[in-house]
PDB file of all heavy atoms in Angstrom:
ATOM      1  N   PRO A   1      67.629 120.286 128.085  1.00  0.00           N
ATOM      2  CA  PRO A   1      67.560 119.269 129.189  1.00  0.00           C
ATOM      3  C   PRO A   1      66.284 118.474 129.160  1.00  0.00           C
ATOM      4  O   PRO A   1      66.316 117.338 129.669  1.00  0.00           O
ATOM      5  CB  PRO A   1      67.583 120.168 130.436  1.00  0.00           C
ATOM      6  CG  PRO A   1      68.355 121.418 129.991  1.00  0.00           C
ATOM      7  CD  PRO A   1      67.947 121.657 128.496  1.00  0.00           C
ATOM      8  N   ASP A   2      65.183 119.028 128.521  1.00  0.00           N
ATOM      9  CA  ASP A   2      63.973 118.243 128.443  1.00  0.00           C
ATOM     10  C   ASP A   2      63.701 117.626 127.045  1.00  0.00           C
ATOM     11  O   ASP A   2      62.635 117.173 126.747  1.00  0.00           O
ATOM     12  CB  ASP A   2      62.793 119.132 128.816  1.00  0.00           C
ATOM     13  CG  ASP A   2      62.841 120.564 128.328  1.00  0.00           C
ATOM     14  OD1 ASP A   2      63.952 121.011 127.959  1.00  0.00           O
ATOM     15  OD2 ASP A   2      61.804 121.226 128.160  1.00  0.00           O
ATOM     16  N   HIS A   3      64.741 117.430 126.295  1.00  0.00           N
ATOM     17  CA  HIS A   3      64.654 116.664 125.030  1.00  0.00           C
ATOM     18  C   HIS A   3      64.356 115.244 125.375  1.00  0.00           C
ATOM     19  O   HIS A   3      64.882 114.658 126.323  1.00  0.00           O
ATOM     20  CB  HIS A   3      66.023 116.804 124.314  1.00  0.00           C
ATOM     21  CG  HIS A   3      65.996 116.311 122.894  1.00  0.00           C
ATOM     22  ND1 HIS A   3      65.776 114.946 122.508  1.00  0.00           N
ATOM     23  CD2 HIS A   3      66.170 116.912 121.707  1.00  0.00           C
ATOM     24  CE1 HIS A   3      65.848 114.874 121.256  1.00  0.00           C
ATOM     25  NE2 HIS A   3      66.088 116.023 120.666  1.00  0.00           N
ATOM     26  N   PRO A   4      63.531 114.551 124.585  1.00  0.00           N
ATOM     27  CA  PRO A   4      63.169 113.157 124.846  1.00  0.00           C
ATOM     28  C   PRO A   4      64.375 112.243 124.941  1.00  0.00           C
ATOM     29  O   PRO A   4      64.336 111.234 125.639  1.00  0.00           O
ATOM     30  CB  PRO A   4      62.249 112.816 123.609  1.00  0.00           C
ATOM     31  CG  PRO A   4      61.638 114.070 123.241  1.00  0.00           C
ATOM     32  CD  PRO A   4      62.672 115.147 123.481  1.00  0.00           C
ATOM     33  N   TYR A   5      65.456 112.534 124.240  1.00  0.00           N
ATOM     34  CA  TYR A   5      66.654 111.688 124.259  1.00  0.00           C
ATOM     35  C   TYR A   5      67.212 111.518 125.682  1.00  0.00           C
ATOM     36  O   TYR A   5      67.791 110.526 126.030  1.00  0.00           O
ATOM     37  CB  TYR A   5      67.738 112.195 123.331  1.00  0.00           C
ATOM     38  CG  TYR A   5      67.569 112.039 121.866  1.00  0.00           C
ATOM     39  CD1 TYR A   5      68.296 112.851 120.969  1.00  0.00           C
ATOM     40  CD2 TYR A   5      66.673 111.140 121.314  1.00  0.00           C
ATOM     41  CE1 TYR A   5      68.136 112.709 119.603  1.00  0.00           C
ATOM     42  CE2 TYR A   5      66.522 110.956 119.962  1.00  0.00           C
ATOM     43  CZ  TYR A   5      67.260 111.772 119.093  1.00  0.00           C
ATOM     44  OH  TYR A   5      67.071 111.591 117.771  1.00  0.00           O
ATOM     45  N   VAL A   6      67.054 112.629 126.500  1.00  0.00           N
ATOM     46  CA  VAL A   6      67.725 112.629 127.761  1.00  0.00           C
ATOM     47  C   VAL A   6      67.085 111.570 128.677  1.00  0.00           C
ATOM     48  O   VAL A   6      67.817 110.889 129.485  1.00  0.00           O
ATOM     49  CB  VAL A   6      67.502 114.027 128.456  1.00  0.00           C
ATOM     50  CG1 VAL A   6      68.171 113.998 129.794  1.00  0.00           C
ATOM     51  CG2 VAL A   6      68.121 115.068 127.594  1.00  0.00           C
ATOM     52  N   THR A   7      65.836 111.300 128.584  1.00  0.00           N
ATOM     53  CA  THR A   7      65.233 110.247 129.368  1.00  0.00           C
ATOM     54  C   THR A   7      65.199 108.898 128.621  1.00  0.00           C
ATOM     55  O   THR A   7      65.382 107.797 129.298  1.00  0.00           O
ATOM     56  CB  THR A   7      63.758 110.624 129.700  1.00  0.00           C
ATOM     57  OG1 THR A   7      63.021 110.899 128.525  1.00  0.00           O
ATOM     58  CG2 THR A   7      63.680 111.761 130.640  1.00  0.00           C
ATOM     59  N   GLU A   8      65.110 108.919 127.327  1.00  0.00           N
ATOM     60  CA  GLU A   8      65.174 107.616 126.573  1.00  0.00           C
ATOM     61  C   GLU A   8      66.585 107.056 126.437  1.00  0.00           C
ATOM     62  O   GLU A   8      66.710 105.856 126.358  1.00  0.00           O
ATOM     63  CB  GLU A   8      64.569 107.941 125.170  1.00  0.00           C
ATOM     64  CG  GLU A   8      63.083 108.327 125.218  1.00  0.00           C
ATOM     65  CD  GLU A   8      62.592 108.785 123.847  1.00  0.00           C
ATOM     66  OE1 GLU A   8      63.425 108.730 122.845  1.00  0.00           O
ATOM     67  OE2 GLU A   8      61.415 109.202 123.714  1.00  0.00           O
ATOM     68  N   HIS A   9      67.554 107.893 126.390  1.00  0.00           N
ATOM     69  CA  HIS A   9      68.972 107.468 126.168  1.00  0.00           C
ATOM     70  C   HIS A   9      69.883 108.218 127.112  1.00  0.00           C
ATOM     71  O   HIS A   9      70.748 108.988 126.620  1.00  0.00           O
ATOM     72  CB  HIS A   9      69.360 107.621 124.726  1.00  0.00           C
ATOM     73  CG  HIS A   9      68.481 106.916 123.714  1.00  0.00           C
ATOM     74  ND1 HIS A   9      68.597 105.559 123.467  1.00  0.00           N
ATOM     75  CD2 HIS A   9      67.484 107.387 122.919  1.00  0.00           C
ATOM     76  CE1 HIS A   9      67.704 105.229 122.554  1.00  0.00           C
ATOM     77  NE2 HIS A   9      67.029 106.279 122.240  1.00  0.00           N
ATOM     78  N   PRO A  10      69.750 108.154 128.408  1.00  0.00           N
ATOM     79  CA  PRO A  10      70.585 108.871 129.290  1.00  0.00           C
ATOM     80  C   PRO A  10      72.066 108.640 129.133  1.00  0.00           C
ATOM     81  O   PRO A  10      72.868 109.540 129.439  1.00  0.00           O
ATOM     82  CB  PRO A  10      70.102 108.404 130.696  1.00  0.00           C
ATOM     83  CG  PRO A  10      69.456 107.116 130.478  1.00  0.00           C
ATOM     84  CD  PRO A  10      68.857 107.207 129.131  1.00  0.00           C
ATOM     85  N   ASP A  11      72.449 107.416 128.591  1.00  0.00           N
ATOM     86  CA  ASP A  11      73.876 107.160 128.396  1.00  0.00           C
ATOM     87  C   ASP A  11      74.453 107.857 127.210  1.00  0.00           C
ATOM     88  O   ASP A  11      75.647 107.780 126.969  1.00  0.00           O
ATOM     89  CB  ASP A  11      74.090 105.673 128.254  1.00  0.00           C
ATOM     90  CG  ASP A  11      73.174 105.048 127.277  1.00  0.00           C
ATOM     91  OD1 ASP A  11      72.146 105.569 126.909  1.00  0.00           O
ATOM     92  OD2 ASP A  11      73.467 103.867 126.802  1.00  0.00           O
ATOM     93  N   TRP A  12      73.644 108.707 126.547  1.00  0.00           N
ATOM     94  CA  TRP A  12      74.172 109.492 125.385  1.00  0.00           C
ATOM     95  C   TRP A  12      74.616 110.876 125.914  1.00  0.00           C
ATOM     96  O   TRP A  12      75.109 111.713 125.143  1.00  0.00           O
ATOM     97  CB  TRP A  12      73.114 109.721 124.357  1.00  0.00           C
ATOM     98  CG  TRP A  12      72.757 108.462 123.587  1.00  0.00           C
ATOM     99  CD1 TRP A  12      73.284 107.208 123.667  1.00  0.00           C
ATOM    100  CD2 TRP A  12      71.800 108.352 122.527  1.00  0.00           C
ATOM    101  NE1 TRP A  12      72.806 106.353 122.752  1.00  0.00           N
ATOM    102  CE2 TRP A  12      71.838 107.005 122.002  1.00  0.00           C
ATOM    103  CE3 TRP A  12      70.887 109.255 121.906  1.00  0.00           C
ATOM    104  CZ2 TRP A  12      71.031 106.562 120.974  1.00  0.00           C
ATOM    105  CZ3 TRP A  12      70.060 108.819 120.904  1.00  0.00           C
ATOM    106  CH2 TRP A  12      70.132 107.468 120.438  1.00  0.00           C
ATOM    107  N   PHE A  13      74.600 111.074 127.211  1.00  0.00           N
ATOM    108  CA  PHE A  13      74.956 112.322 127.795  1.00  0.00           C
ATOM    109  C   PHE A  13      75.948 112.070 129.011  1.00  0.00           C
ATOM    110  O   PHE A  13      76.044 110.960 129.502  1.00  0.00           O
ATOM    111  CB  PHE A  13      73.689 113.092 128.287  1.00  0.00           C
ATOM    112  CG  PHE A  13      72.740 113.332 127.221  1.00  0.00           C
ATOM    113  CD1 PHE A  13      71.729 112.420 126.920  1.00  0.00           C
ATOM    114  CD2 PHE A  13      72.765 114.436 126.356  1.00  0.00           C
ATOM    115  CE1 PHE A  13      70.799 112.576 125.953  1.00  0.00           C
ATOM    116  CE2 PHE A  13      71.881 114.683 125.360  1.00  0.00           C
ATOM    117  CZ  PHE A  13      70.922 113.751 125.114  1.00  0.00           C
ATOM    118  N   THR A  14      76.579 113.145 129.386  1.00  0.00           N
ATOM    119  CA  THR A  14      77.625 113.046 130.467  1.00  0.00           C
ATOM    120  C   THR A  14      76.952 113.485 131.792  1.00  0.00           C
ATOM    121  O   THR A  14      76.361 114.597 131.841  1.00  0.00           O
ATOM    122  CB  THR A  14      78.827 113.936 130.150  1.00  0.00           C
ATOM    123  OG1 THR A  14      79.424 113.463 128.997  1.00  0.00           O
ATOM    124  CG2 THR A  14      79.853 113.879 131.271  1.00  0.00           C
ATOM    125  N   TRP A  15      77.036 112.642 132.778  1.00  0.00           N
ATOM    126  CA  TRP A  15      76.404 112.946 134.043  1.00  0.00           C
ATOM    127  C   TRP A  15      77.517 113.216 135.074  1.00  0.00           C
ATOM    128  O   TRP A  15      78.466 112.481 135.210  1.00  0.00           O
ATOM    129  CB  TRP A  15      75.587 111.764 134.559  1.00  0.00           C
ATOM    130  CG  TRP A  15      74.397 111.539 133.576  1.00  0.00           C
ATOM    131  CD1 TRP A  15      74.416 110.840 132.437  1.00  0.00           C
ATOM    132  CD2 TRP A  15      73.100 112.160 133.704  1.00  0.00           C
ATOM    133  NE1 TRP A  15      73.173 110.894 131.766  1.00  0.00           N
ATOM    134  CE2 TRP A  15      72.364 111.755 132.519  1.00  0.00           C
ATOM    135  CE3 TRP A  15      72.421 113.019 134.519  1.00  0.00           C
ATOM    136  CZ2 TRP A  15      71.050 112.150 132.257  1.00  0.00           C
ATOM    137  CZ3 TRP A  15      71.145 113.364 134.356  1.00  0.00           C
ATOM    138  CH2 TRP A  15      70.502 112.973 133.240  1.00  0.00           C
ATOM    139  N   ARG A  16      77.322 114.248 135.836  1.00  0.00           N
ATOM    140  CA  ARG A  16      78.326 114.711 136.822  1.00  0.00           C
ATOM    141  C   ARG A  16      78.154 113.997 138.147  1.00  0.00           C
ATOM    142  O   ARG A  16      77.115 113.320 138.382  1.00  0.00           O
ATOM    143  CB  ARG A  16      78.131 116.220 137.003  1.00  0.00           C
ATOM    144  CG  ARG A  16      78.485 117.007 135.737  1.00  0.00           C
ATOM    145  CD  ARG A  16      78.386 118.503 135.885  1.00  0.00           C
ATOM    146  NE  ARG A  16      77.059 118.954 136.170  1.00  0.00           N
ATOM    147  CZ  ARG A  16      76.646 120.227 136.093  1.00  0.00           C
ATOM    148  NH1 ARG A  16      77.651 121.224 135.687  1.00  0.00           N
ATOM    149  NH2 ARG A  16      75.471 120.638 136.356  1.00  0.00           N
ATOM    150  N   PRO A  17      79.238 114.044 139.071  1.00  0.00           N
ATOM    151  CA  PRO A  17      79.129 113.214 140.250  1.00  0.00           C
ATOM    152  C   PRO A  17      77.946 113.575 141.088  1.00  0.00           C
ATOM    153  O   PRO A  17      77.482 112.768 141.944  1.00  0.00           O
ATOM    154  CB  PRO A  17      80.475 113.639 140.951  1.00  0.00           C
ATOM    155  CG  PRO A  17      81.347 113.958 139.829  1.00  0.00           C
ATOM    156  CD  PRO A  17      80.518 114.569 138.787  1.00  0.00           C
ATOM    157  N   ASP A  18      77.405 114.834 141.023  1.00  0.00           N
ATOM    158  CA  ASP A  18      76.296 115.195 141.880  1.00  0.00           C
ATOM    159  C   ASP A  18      74.945 114.739 141.261  1.00  0.00           C
ATOM    160  O   ASP A  18      73.888 115.168 141.768  1.00  0.00           O
ATOM    161  CB  ASP A  18      76.259 116.702 142.076  1.00  0.00           C
ATOM    162  CG  ASP A  18      76.117 117.507 140.837  1.00  0.00           C
ATOM    163  OD1 ASP A  18      76.022 116.880 139.717  1.00  0.00           O
ATOM    164  OD2 ASP A  18      76.017 118.763 140.831  1.00  0.00           O
ATOM    165  N   GLY A  19      75.011 113.945 140.161  1.00  0.00           N
ATOM    166  CA  GLY A  19      73.713 113.464 139.534  1.00  0.00           C
ATOM    167  C   GLY A  19      73.121 114.345 138.539  1.00  0.00           C
ATOM    168  O   GLY A  19      72.088 114.000 137.981  1.00  0.00           O
ATOM    169  N   THR A  20      73.710 115.514 138.286  1.00  0.00           N
ATOM    170  CA  THR A  20      73.184 116.430 137.293  1.00  0.00           C
ATOM    171  C   THR A  20      73.864 116.140 135.934  1.00  0.00           C
ATOM    172  O   THR A  20      74.984 115.602 135.914  1.00  0.00           O
ATOM    173  CB  THR A  20      73.432 117.917 137.661  1.00  0.00           C
ATOM    174  OG1 THR A  20      74.775 118.108 137.852  1.00  0.00           O
ATOM    175  CG2 THR A  20      72.664 118.212 138.974  1.00  0.00           C
ATOM    176  N   VAL A  21      73.248 116.536 134.892  1.00  0.00           N
ATOM    177  CA  VAL A  21      73.725 116.345 133.579  1.00  0.00           C
ATOM    178  C   VAL A  21      74.632 117.516 133.143  1.00  0.00           C
ATOM    179  O   VAL A  21      74.347 118.578 133.516  1.00  0.00           O
ATOM    180  CB  VAL A  21      72.604 116.159 132.531  1.00  0.00           C
ATOM    181  CG1 VAL A  21      71.766 117.441 132.346  1.00  0.00           C
ATOM    182  CG2 VAL A  21      73.126 115.682 131.175  1.00  0.00           C
ATOM    183  N   GLN A  22      75.680 117.184 132.423  1.00  0.00           N
ATOM    184  CA  GLN A  22      76.646 118.248 132.096  1.00  0.00           C
ATOM    185  C   GLN A  22      76.092 119.017 130.892  1.00  0.00           C
ATOM    186  O   GLN A  22      75.750 118.591 129.808  1.00  0.00           O
ATOM    187  CB  GLN A  22      77.980 117.605 131.594  1.00  0.00           C
ATOM    188  CG  GLN A  22      78.998 118.580 131.086  1.00  0.00           C
ATOM    189  CD  GLN A  22      79.504 119.516 132.145  1.00  0.00           C
ATOM    190  OE1 GLN A  22      80.075 119.031 133.171  1.00  0.00           O
ATOM    191  NE2 GLN A  22      79.290 120.838 131.974  1.00  0.00           N
ATOM    192  N   TYR A  23      75.902 120.379 131.095  1.00  0.00           N
ATOM    193  CA  TYR A  23      75.508 121.234 129.946  1.00  0.00           C
ATOM    194  C   TYR A  23      76.698 121.719 129.316  1.00  0.00           C
ATOM    195  O   TYR A  23      77.799 121.574 129.665  1.00  0.00           O
ATOM    196  CB  TYR A  23      74.555 122.385 130.506  1.00  0.00           C
ATOM    197  CG  TYR A  23      75.140 123.256 131.585  1.00  0.00           C
ATOM    198  CD1 TYR A  23      76.118 124.190 131.309  1.00  0.00           C
ATOM    199  CD2 TYR A  23      74.700 123.133 132.906  1.00  0.00           C
ATOM    200  CE1 TYR A  23      76.641 125.011 132.276  1.00  0.00           C
ATOM    201  CE2 TYR A  23      75.240 123.888 133.896  1.00  0.00           C
ATOM    202  CZ  TYR A  23      76.231 124.874 133.592  1.00  0.00           C
ATOM    203  OH  TYR A  23      76.740 125.650 134.598  1.00  0.00           O
ATOM    204  N   ALA A  24      76.435 122.415 128.162  1.00  0.00           N
ATOM    205  CA  ALA A  24      77.530 122.884 127.269  1.00  0.00           C
ATOM    206  C   ALA A  24      78.216 124.048 127.905  1.00  0.00           C
ATOM    207  O   ALA A  24      77.655 124.938 128.466  1.00  0.00           O
ATOM    208  CB  ALA A  24      76.991 123.207 125.877  1.00  0.00           C
ATOM    209  N   GLU A  25      79.577 124.020 127.727  1.00  0.00           N
ATOM    210  CA  GLU A  25      80.424 125.062 128.240  1.00  0.00           C
ATOM    211  C   GLU A  25      81.532 125.356 127.249  1.00  0.00           C
ATOM    212  O   GLU A  25      82.048 124.501 126.550  1.00  0.00           O
ATOM    213  CB  GLU A  25      81.072 124.715 129.595  1.00  0.00           C
ATOM    214  CG  GLU A  25      80.032 124.740 130.725  1.00  0.00           C
ATOM    215  CD  GLU A  25      80.734 124.466 132.074  1.00  0.00           C
ATOM    216  OE1 GLU A  25      81.418 123.432 132.237  1.00  0.00           O
ATOM    217  OE2 GLU A  25      80.663 125.380 132.936  1.00  0.00           O
TER     218      GLU A  25
END
């Protein structure tokens, strides 16, 4: 979650309706 990509390229990840990022499941 604290990888630089998450802040530099947020659109490379899936964001849930509550504003949190989707972790692996």
Side-chain angles (χ1 to χ4, degrees):
D2 40 338
H3 192 295
Y5 285 162
V6 180
T7 54
E8 294 171 2
H9 302 281
D11 49 342
W12 289 359
F13 303 89
T14 300
W15 297 86
R16 298 181 292 196
D18 63 358
T20 60
V21 65
Q22 177 67 58
Y23 55 76
E25 289 185 300

